[in-house]
Amino acid sequence: MTHEEDQVVIVTGAASGIGKACTDFLLRNGSRVLAADLDAERLAAAYKAGSDALVLQACDVSQADDCTTAVKRAKHAFGRVDALIHWAGQHSTKTWDTLNAEDFDALLRVNVTGSFLIAQAAARQMIADGNGGSIVLTGSTAVIHAPIGGEAGNGGPAYVTAKSAITGMVRSLARALGPSSIRVNAIAPGVTETPMIGNYSEATRRQQIATSPLGRIGSAEEVAEAGVMLISSSARYISGEVVIVNGATAFG
């Protein structure tokens, strides 16, 4: 691995929320970043043009070709790929009795298959580069809380199921890629101030604050920096883990 201030990092979901906060943090601290997002217009609007350390890339992570293209562009622009921090995802508040097969499959395609495809593309490049690397995926504390969806704005069973799959994926990939010196981990955020909770009811927001020992909802920056920690040398012997970042908010 290279020195952390010169890491080449692919960040997905980079147009807003945690992905934007992560990209901004990396750029401030000397990394070079390929920032990817499904929404090309919003991505372009989120960043000022002209930085040699930043490449913007439209990317639908549920499409293997898009993932490969994003990784190859990072390699072409910066000469290698050191890390992937994958924040992109899709939320669903549909309840068990309103979900249909198409809803469920579409969410899994983005949150599960998409996580695998972007990790696969990044890992292939890291192996070709021969320098090892680090991959961080995104889980959720919804796996522990098991919300049921509905008008309150909480994730429903499709979302909880998709995020549960990330735990198994991280553990399997960590074992498979460890011999190539590639570490694989995940961040499991609690409720975070991002557009994803824009449909939370006021009652849900008050409840989240009330159950937090820190008395507030976490910021995108706080979650993003935990992801950055996992690609740093400080985490050089951490692999196969899902790190909860939720301010000790009560479970259950």
Side-chain angles (χ1 to χ4, degrees):
M1 289 296 292
T2 58
H3 294 299
E4 292 166 42
E5 66 273 13
D6 190 37
Q7 281 185 304
V8 174
V9 187
I10 297 170
V11 179
T12 68
S16 64
I18 299 169
K20 175 68 163 59
C22 182
T23 301
D24 289 342
F25 181 87
L26 288 166
L27 291 172
R28 286 196 306 271
N29 287 276
S31 294
R32 291 174 287 167
V33 181
L34 181 133
D37 200 275
L38 178 64
D39 190 332
E41 290 186 5
R42 187 169 62 166
L43 184 64
Y47 299 95
K48 295 179 180 179
S51 172
D52 292 337
L54 177 66
V55 171
L56 305 181
Q57 178 69 37
C59 179
D60 178 351
V61 296
S62 72
Q63 302 300 315
D65 288 347
D66 276 20
C67 293
T68 299
T69 297
V71 172
K72 294 300 183 186
R73 189 163 182 219
K75 167 69 174 180
H76 177 76
F78 302 126
R80 63 179 191 275
V81 174
D82 298 322
L84 162 71
I85 309 183
H86 174 51
W87 301 111
Q90 184 175 326
H91 199 231
S92 170
T93 63
K94 288 192 174 184
T95 58
W96 72 271
D97 56 339
T98 59
L99 280 165
N100 58 38
E102 290 74 21
D103 295 330
F104 215 100
D105 290 346
L107 197 79
L108 294 179
R109 179 71 190 178
V110 174
N111 289 355
V112 182
T113 305
S115 294
F116 174 75
L117 291 175
I118 192 66
Q120 181 186 57
R124 283 174 170 162
Q125 187 61 60
M126 291 171 186
I127 290 170
D129 290 343
N131 300 316
S134 181
I135 294 170
V136 178
L137 304 180
T138 303
S140 174
T141 56
V143 174
I144 301 167
H145 294 284
I148 62 174
E151 294 181 359
N154 291 310
Y159 182 74
V160 175
T161 300
K163 290 303 183 179
S164 298
I166 299 302
T167 298
M169 187 184 303
V170 161
R171 291 173 178 170
S172 181
L173 290 180
R175 293 192 66 199
L177 297 175
S180 298
S181 299
I182 299 170
R183 298 182 298 104
V184 184
N185 294 289
I187 293 292
V191 176
T192 309
E193 287 286 5
T194 70
M196 187 174 284
I197 68 167
N199 61 346
Y200 269 22
S201 67
E202 284 303 314
T204 299
R205 288 184 63 88
R206 288 195 298 270
Q207 180 184 28
Q208 293 295 334
I209 293 169
T211 58
S212 170
L214 299 181
R216 60 183 177 83
I217 292 173
S219 72
E221 289 76 14
E222 289 166 323
V223 177
E225 289 175 32
V228 174
M229 180 276 293
L230 286 175
I231 68 167
S232 76
S233 61
S234 297
R236 60 190 175 275
Y237 200 61
I238 299 174
S239 194
E241 296 297 326
V242 179
V243 178
I244 293 172
V245 184
N246 78 336
T249 298
F251 297 128

